Amino acid sequence: MSSKIIRAVLAGQPNSGKSTVFNNLTGAHEHVGNYPGITVEWHTGSRKYKETTFELTDLPGTYSLSAYSDEERVARDYIINGDYDFVIDIVDASNLERSLLLTLQLKELGIPVLVVLNMIDLARKNGMNIDKDALSAQLGMPIVECVGYESGAVGAILDAAESLFDALGESGSKSALKLNAEELTKPKPTEEEVAVTTARLEEIKRMCSAAVTSRPKEGPSWSDKVDAVLTNVWLGIPIFLFLLYLVFQLTFTLGEYPMGWIESGFEWLGDWVSGFWAESEESLLKSLIVDGIIGGLGGVLVFLPNILLLFLAIAFLEDSGYMARAAYLADNFMKYIGLHGKSFVPMIIGFGCGIPAIMATRTLSSRKERLITMFIIPWMSCGARVPIYMLLVPAFFPEAYQAWVMWGLYVLGIIVAIIVAKIMSVFVIREENAPFIIELPPYRFPTFRTVGIHTIERGWLYLKKAGTILLGISIVLWALATFPRLPESESEKFEAQRAPIAQKLDELKEANPELETLAKDRDGVQEERDGVEEDAALADAEKEKKLAELDGQLAKFNEQLATYDDLTGQIEEIDNQEAEEQLANSYSGRLGHLMVPVIRTMGFDWKIGTAIVGALAAKEVFVAQMGVVYSIGEADEESESLRDIMKKNYPPLVGLSILVFCLLSAPCVATFAIMVKEAGWSWAFAQFITCTIVAWVISTLIFQVGTWLDIGTKLLM
Amino acid sequence: MNYVSQFPKTQNNLIIMSETIIVVVICAAAALYIIRRAYLVFSGKSSCCSGSCKPSGGCGCCCKHCTKPCSEMEKKQRDE
């Protein structure tokens, strides 16, 4: 028996829960949140239920079929031209009157509709009692009540959908209709259309009065009371900034422990792989695995816990309904820079990734607002920059200030975006602003499922990116930093310096065979000392006593090993010089040296130069490249964390300069490509150049002023 | 553990040569992969930001540029 195929499309007003229902029905993981304007493209998914296959399409939200913004146009065009059997109209039951406008328009066009009263629990909680059968009779459409994310919704909706399909038969489905949709494609409403809309609203009011009874409102609701504080003109912005600070504090403090474990894991892995070759053995394969893959990719992967925590916190804020309030608050100052609060939604999405953020500007109906918002999105610090912050902030700033520095970076990005937007709205694009209307959804406690899915998805994306594009880039970066090899004459020069010292060391070891054992014992004592120093449980007096004892032992060892240390130190110095020269001679080194005249003003050396070029491919590559160049450029076999390496080689002022440059510089190549698609080549290039110049100027200012005032110019270790 | 030094000199050379070949193959594969990704991004065929290609295997990932075969629906829309 061949199974039925039913093609339905999920339509509804923004924030009515279409994507939540879609995810529940198809098992997909579309991004959902408790604020309008997240879905800007249509998505398809399928579900096999009983003997029937459902092919479902999730559309962006639209208040009516008279579309004004791009994403509303996507929904309207699909409803008019799409090939499907009927519409599943997702209606927010707690906002019934307003939500039925779209339903009525669909009815007038003769499109078969199944109405799903979503969030029925919330409607009941608000004291609404909806007589489903009466409303169904008024609308002439079947109605299902549900709570979109609950498993029970699946059976209820799909059973009703199948019944509707059977009732319609072949001739009754939408695909058999020819719609006269001319009135829906006009750019602006005429007076006549406004009158029609008013009549529709009157009709809806009449229907609702017959089918809905509401408990009279007893004073302000819990949501209203919270809003009185969170959206207060004076308190709102400080609360928003404080919440942002809390998010970063959480990311740093909780993320530090698992990060340390992963870091130790990669250090162990590097040492274990190195163990397959003799210590003095030169092997390209060893270098590729240890320096290129483990050094580069490992440097990026250790920040996975921080990424997960950051997105967990953002998903929590999104799902609670707070982000819509943030957009409302933002409108107060956004209007002064030629934008309005609606632009803030893509900007918030930009904290995750610039690509969906640029896509999300489709919700803006004015061309001016759309272009300016797209233009400033790269300054919203995206998730790909987080590994750079996680590497550099703890390396150069004391623990108490780390969350503040990160907070400051995000705020700096927002301030630069505001200034550029203002300049653009005054000098570049001059058009009238559209009025700002945003729906403030009710507050709700985020569901574990939604927050969990969003967080895991971000983590999975990060891992996937690391396992594919970042792995590929790490390997290529390693090759660029390894080839061409030093000319033989140069290698011989180093060998000539090394040989007599190595001979002396061998003679010393022969005469004193116990030296190597002594050196190992000393390492053991040093490790014990480090452990005692970090032991917080130990009383001060006891700690001091133990440290004094261990220092005494170390001094004895150092005395016995003085000549041995001197000779091994000299060899290590020559090895490091050779590795450094090899790196400078590589393609990567040559490119970096070419950049030095331009980047020197920011305090960057050629190694950082190569990393900022690599970061154009993907921001995380900055970390990978620093891992690769320092793994290849240092002959030391002992693994050292990249943070320690950075601390050892650069003063805090350079660290800050790098952070600011990475925050403000041009977006990654994928964001550039999406900008080309959405705004054209000229805007994409203008954005690229502006970002680069702004980043260079501000980083140069920070470094030059800091050097002049002598702040943070000394190495920390 | 130290596998290279366990072999005599001639075998060592063979191992070094094999290692070099492996490294060259890995690097070439990585470079080709990156070039392909760059081509897909700039030709507008791959910028799936959320990586959410649909279970039906069709188009309609968040950026609508999934490289997987498109459903009939989208092909029809494009033609129109």
Side-chain angles (χ1 to χ4, degrees), chain A residues 26 28 30 41-44 46 78 82-83 272 275-278 281 283-285 288 355-356 359 461 468-469 472-473 475-476 478-479 669-670 672-674 677, chain B residues 1-5 19-20 22-23 26-27 30-31 33-34 37 41-42 47 49-52 54-56 58-65 73-74 76-77 80:
Chain A
T26 61
E30 293 307 337
E41 283 277 11
W42 52 268
H43 309 276
T44 59
S46 64
Y78 199 103
D83 191 10
W272 182 72
F276 282 92
W277 286 268
E281 197 91 50
S283 161
L284 274 181
L285 188 59
L288 170 64
I355 297 167
M359 302 284 293
L461 278 177
T468 53
I469 193 80
I473 293 175
I475 292 170
V476 171
W478 171 84
V669 74
F672 178 83
I674 210 76
K677 183 175 162 271
Chain B
M1 287 292 270
N2 189 342
Y3 82 91
V4 177
S5 51
E19 281 190 0
T20 310
I22 293 170
V23 167
I26 293 174
C27 290
Y33 175 71
I34 291 166
R37 287 292 295 251
V41 165
F42 278 99
S47 18
C49 41
S50 78
S52 54
K54 295 291 86 62
S56 56
C59 279
C61 72
C62 68
C63 306
K64 222 173 104 180
H65 297 295
M73 180 65 237
E74 192 175 8
K76 196 178 161 195
Q77 280 227 323
E80 282 167 5

Side-chain angles (χ1 to χ4, degrees), chain A residues 258-271:
Chain A
M259 206 201 91
W261 304 331
I262 300 176
E263 204 167 55
S264 307
F266 274 109
E267 279 171 18
W268 173 85
L269 187 67
D271 291 342

Side-chain angles (χ1 to χ4, degrees), chain A residues 197-427:
Chain A
T197 304
T198 311
R200 279 181 190 137
L201 291 172
E202 286 298 322
E203 171 72 1
I204 291 168
K205 213 167 192 178
R206 190 192 58 74
M207 284 179 185
C208 286
S209 63
V212 181
T213 50
S214 297
R215 194 175 55 213
K217 226 179 169 188
E218 301 154 357
S221 67
W222 175 82
S223 206
D224 294 337
K225 284 177 196 163
V226 177
D227 270 342
V229 180
L230 293 187
T231 58
N232 180 284
V233 181
W234 302 108
L235 293 175
I237 297 285
I239 290 174
F240 173 70
L241 294 174
F242 177 68
L243 283 173
L244 208 60
Y245 166 78
L246 272 189
V247 167
F248 300 136
Q249 187 64 31
L250 175 92
T251 309
F252 273 111
T253 46
L254 290 185
E256 201 62 19
Y257 300 101
M259 206 201 91
W261 304 331
I262 300 176
E263 204 167 55
S264 307
F266 274 109
E267 279 171 18
W268 173 85
L269 187 67
D271 291 342
W272 182 72
V273 172
S274 298
F276 282 92
W277 286 268
E279 207 170 301
S280 54
E281 197 91 50
E282 268 210 32
S283 161
L284 274 181
L285 188 59
K286 176 174 95 170
S287 177
L288 170 64
I289 299 172
V290 177
D291 303 332
I293 298 175
I294 299 175
L297 199 59
V300 174
L301 279 175
V302 294
F303 301 114
L304 179 67
N306 307 85
I307 299 273
L308 287 177
L309 282 165
L310 181 66
F311 283 103
L312 177 78
I314 290 177
F316 191 89
L317 290 178
E318 280 185 346
D319 209 36
S320 67
Y322 179 73
M323 285 307 196
R325 272 79 187 172
Y328 168 75
L329 279 170
D331 184 55
N332 287 330
F333 66 87
M334 298 284 264
K335 60 187 170 204
Y336 296 111
I337 58 165
L339 295 174
H340 65 43
K342 211 173 176 185
S343 300
F344 201 64
V345 173
M347 286 163 76
I348 290 169
I349 296 173
F351 285 136
C353 174
I355 297 167
I358 287 177
M359 302 284 293
T361 59
R362 292 181 180 188
T363 55
L364 305 172
S365 47
S366 140
R367 177 182 158 272
K368 170 195 169 184
E369 281 154 9
R370 208 181 154 206
L371 276 173
I372 296 179
T373 310
M374 274 194 277
F375 201 87
I376 61 174
I377 273 173
W379 288 304
M380 298 297 110
S381 185
C382 70
R385 288 170 169 117
V386 174
I388 305 176
Y389 305 154
M390 290 298 152
L391 170 70
L392 300 177
V393 175
F396 295 113
F397 296 93
E399 207 179 325
Y401 299 112
Q402 287 169 7
W404 284 113
V405 173
M406 188 129 161
W407 177 88
L409 286 168
Y410 276 70
V411 172
L412 175 67
I414 296 172
I415 291 171
V416 171
I418 288 170
I419 294 170
V420 174
K422 179 72 190 168
I423 293 170
M424 284 181 76
S425 69
V426 172
F427 298 106

